[in-house]
Amino acid sequence: MKADNNSPLAFVTGATGAVGPALVGQLLDHGYRVRALVRQPYAAALPAPVELVPGDLSDVQKWHTTLQGVDVLFHM
């Protein structure tokens, strides 16, 4: 199922870890749009439709804008 602008948006932390890539793949397969928090966007081997958000969990200033429009949060 292909996501579009009306599809739910999932925000994933830990998207480049041991479990994250499989979760991202499953979300994309089920029609979700995916936004992922990554420390090093240039090194994130995630599929092109994933919106990469550079940063880490301690970057509290980013949370307000990063979570705008998010329907579901997966925090690992």
Side-chain angles (χ1 to χ4, degrees), residues 1-74:
M1 177 183 287
K2 186 159 172 70
D4 60 29
N5 286 339
N6 295 319
S7 298
L9 176 59
F11 182 71
V12 179
T13 67
T16 60
V19 175
L23 172 63
V24 168
Q26 287 292 314
L27 289 166
L28 293 171
D29 288 348
H30 285 87
Y32 281 82
R33 295 176 295 138
V34 177
R35 182 179 295 161
L37 180 68
V38 295
R39 288 189 184 131
Q40 301 171 338
Y42 58 86
L46 296 172
V50 175
E51 177 188 347
L52 302 178
V53 176
D56 61 47
L57 294 174
S58 67
D59 192 356
V60 178
Q61 298 295 340
K62 265 192 177 177
W63 287 105
H64 186 274
T65 55
T66 300
L67 294 174
Q68 291 281 35
V70 169
D71 297 297
V72 62
L73 168 68
F74 291 92

